[in-house]
Amino acid sequence: MIAADLRSLIARIDISLRLIDAVMAEEDATGHVSVVAGSNEIFVLDDVTPRYATASAALIACRAGLDHALQQLSESGSPA
């Protein structure tokens, strides 16, 4: 039961990582610069990539910990 819960958490983290990657890719595709039609004004939008990168790194670290916990549980002879 514990192993199944750990696997579920790992799967949820993987989904969250894919969502972050998709948002970052979408922002890269649209760019961070906006030009107002008919003018010479350029507006540089805030770059939110560092926030996504930080969130992604935290999720990756969490996933590594869960993987380790699952491995330890499996090695202890508990039913996975």
Side-chain angles (χ1 to χ4, degrees):
M1 200 160 144
I2 295 170
D5 193 41
L6 290 172
R7 284 188 201 97
S8 176
L9 289 169
I10 290 168
R12 185 66 200 140
I13 287 172
D14 289 343
I15 291 168
S16 295
L17 286 168
R18 284 193 297 272
L19 288 171
I20 289 172
D21 287 344
V23 170
M24 287 175 59
E26 183 178 311
E27 286 185 3
D28 286 344
T30 61
H32 298 290
V33 178
S34 176
V35 178
V36 177
S39 77
N40 293 330
E41 295 180 52
I42 297 176
F43 299 95
V44 178
L45 304 178
D46 288 338
D47 185 6
V48 294
T49 302
R51 288 188 295 179
Y52 291 130
T54 301
S56 183
L59 287 171
I60 290 168
C62 184
R63 189 187 193 292
L66 291 171
D67 282 337
H68 181 71
L70 186 59
Q71 181 181 359
Q72 292 299 313
L73 187 63
S74 296
E75 288 176 2
S76 72
S78 298

